[in-house]
Amino acid sequence: MAPLPETAPEAETLSDAWDFKGRPAVRSQTGGWTSSAMILGVELCERLTTLGIAVNLVTYLTGTMHLGNAVSANTVTNFMGTSFMLCLLGGFIADTYLGRYLTIAIFAAVQASGVTILTISTAASGLRPPPCADPSSGNCVKASGAQLGVLYLGLYLTALGTGGLKSSVSGFGSDQFDEGDQGEKKQMMKFFSWFFFFISLGSLLAVTVLVYIQDNLGRRWGYGICAVAILAGLTIFLSGTTRYRFKKLVGSPLTQIATVVAAAWRKRGLDLPSDPSLLYDTDSAAAAAGQKSKGKQRLPHTKEFRFLDHAAIIENTGGERPASEWTLSTLTDVEEVKQVVRMLPTWGTTILFWTVYAQMTTFSVSQATTMDRHIGSSFQIPAGSLTVFFVGSILLTVPFYDRVVVPISRRLTANPHGLTPLQRIFVGLLLSVLAMAAAALTEIKRLHSANQGITLSVFWLVPQFFLVGAGEAFTYIGQLDFFLRECPKGMKTMSTGLFLSTLSLGFFLSSALVTIVHKVTGQSGKGVWLADNLNNGKLYDFYWLLAVLSMINLLVFLVAARGYVYKEKRMAAEGLELSEEACCHA
């Protein structure tokens, strides 16, 4: 009798991931570098498109649309601020309704439509005012309401697409790796490194190649390339559909915060029990109520923000289960919200850094247009391309930190990773103060030279670009590390949302400061700070104002940082281990 043929071993499937048909994902056929590479491709195109529009937009608004410097600067910062603020909306939609895959696909298409409208706006002569030989004279015909309406429609559709796409790209990329497998977990950490690399690569291409094309071949070609790029990125992304791993919707952390606050407010008149064990908790109380545990790691009760504890008070319901989570929250949910509250001082004191950052794409670019940008006798550096020094500073600072700062910090402190997240943020905030002081001194020298009939070399702007770039390398990574490390397990997307909201609010704060300064100092005359013709203004006073505000902000940050206790230390003090599952990833 012939032996029975051996059956093929069943392919290993993942318990928490599914393929595009809704079946348990097969490890060998889904996820990994093949699928994540396609996700990195769409992020590269997004970064190229967004920064390619923003970094040189101020020169288009002043030189072609004939808007003033202050109005143009605010248009750029409002566009960038809206892009980052809409990440919160995109994250909410992804976590609650669509999932990350559909969110990326839909909002990439929205961004492509926005950039297409921008391309049409710059190509059609009827959508631009008549050309003017001297835009700084103030005598040019400004863009009409209809012309600006089409431009703003393209800009804010692009911003909407950027926000929705950016909110989900890094998370969907991390979904392609199984954290329960040590090999794939290491690959996921490499994915984040490659993610940062592709962001930097997109930035570099935007401020060099794309800006050069915009200035020398025309905006319609530059924006047209952006539209083609994002469509190509969307095509590449969709081509990987059969290879992706999909995760179930987990709900938005914003909903959890809302339910805890609502439940606490509803029961604010009830007395808190003296024993915290009487509060509704994740496991024991959930079991008593006939509910399943959410699978969250139990967090120890803390005495801070006691008002929120009211949300976990068990009311006398006659033995009936509570109607919903809007009337009763678990103690773990409450403690997670408390942790978010603890992070708010750090969140608030990092906003001003991004206000300083915003000046690199607005007034610093305007400064460059008035300076000698020639290299040799024929080549002239595009004003928007000065930000290449900014990007270069970031790319130099990261390896400098790893090779120099970390080894020194290891010898001087007990931290094997170098500086702590809050120490990194401190360095970044300090560099922002120095950057604005350098910018003010450079502007004073530029004005002095202009009054003598001398055109100063544009390379005098390099220090302020370099200092802000180095500051971003410290602040960006410090913020990301802080929010990822300290975020509660049940709020995976909250960390990214909090981080990106500081960028958004920083740009909006820049717009508010420019508006206030413009109204206080006037639009023309001897005392004006932000004149349409920079040679008639006092831009250096605006930079000094930012330097002073940044110094005050730095002192407030130091006070908040001194009193902050990292979650890992608090858990250790309570005798609880911080499990690997409790860590958050972008």
Side-chain angles (χ1 to χ4, degrees), residues 133-168:
D134 185 13
S136 63
S137 65
N139 299 321
C140 302
V141 178
K142 294 185 178 181
S144 66
Q147 291 169 338
L148 289 176
V150 174
L151 178 69
Y152 290 156
L153 175 62
L155 281 177
Y156 286 100
L157 272 177
T158 303
L160 176 61
T162 299
L165 195 160
K166 187 180 287 291
S167 67
S168 298

Side-chain angles (χ1 to χ4, degrees), residues 14 25-36 173 175-177 184 187 240 242-245:
L14 302 174
V26 178
R27 184 185 299 277
S28 61
Q29 299 175 6
T30 60
W33 283 112
T34 301
S35 56
S36 62
D175 288 345
Q176 307 311 308
F177 302 95
E184 290 201 19
Q187 290 178 345
T242 59
R243 289 281 314 179
Y244 294 141
R245 294 175 183 172

Side-chain angles (χ1 to χ4, degrees), residues 386-466:
L386 261 293
T387 47
V388 71
F389 295 105
F390 177 75
V391 178
S393 174
I394 297 172
L395 297 177
L396 289 174
T397 302
V398 172
F400 175 80
Y401 175 82
D402 289 335
R403 298 294 181 87
V404 178
V405 176
V406 170
I408 294 176
S409 299
R410 284 172 178 169
R411 288 195 293 266
L412 297 178
T413 67
N415 185 5
H417 304 292
L419 301 178
T420 65
L422 292 178
Q423 288 170 341
R424 281 193 175 193
I425 295 173
F426 168 78
V427 174
L429 296 180
L430 177 61
L431 289 173
S432 71
V433 177
L434 299 177
M436 287 298 93
L441 294 174
T442 298
E443 176 62 8
I444 291 173
K445 183 173 181 61
R446 189 196 67 80
L447 281 177
H448 180 71
S449 299
N451 292 334
Q452 293 181 332
I454 302 172
T455 304
L456 198 65
S457 170
V458 76
F459 291 104
W460 280 92
L461 296 177
V462 170
Q464 64 202 60
F465 280 103
F466 188 87

Side-chain angles (χ1 to χ4, degrees), residues 6 12 23 44 131 162 201 287 309-310 332 510 553 561 570 583:
E6 295 183 4
E12 181 184 1
R23 301 169 301 193
L44 170 67
T162 299
L201 179 60
D309 288 347
H310 287 84
T332 294
S510 176
N553 180 73
R570 287 201 314 274
C583 296

Side-chain angles (χ1 to χ4, degrees), residues 10 105 184 198 214 232 235 285 287 320 360 420 426 466 489 496 512 525:
E10 187 176 351
E184 290 201 19
F198 272 76
Q214 291 173 7
T235 302
E320 297 181 0
M360 298 301 103
T420 65
F426 168 78
F466 188 87
K489 177 190 175 183
T496 304

Side-chain angles (χ1 to χ4, degrees), residues 37-39 41-42 45 229-241 244:
M38 298 176 185
I39 298 170
V42 75
C45 296
I230 196 63
L231 285 173
L234 176 58
T235 302
I236 294 171
F237 175 76
L238 293 177
S239 68
T241 300
Y244 294 141

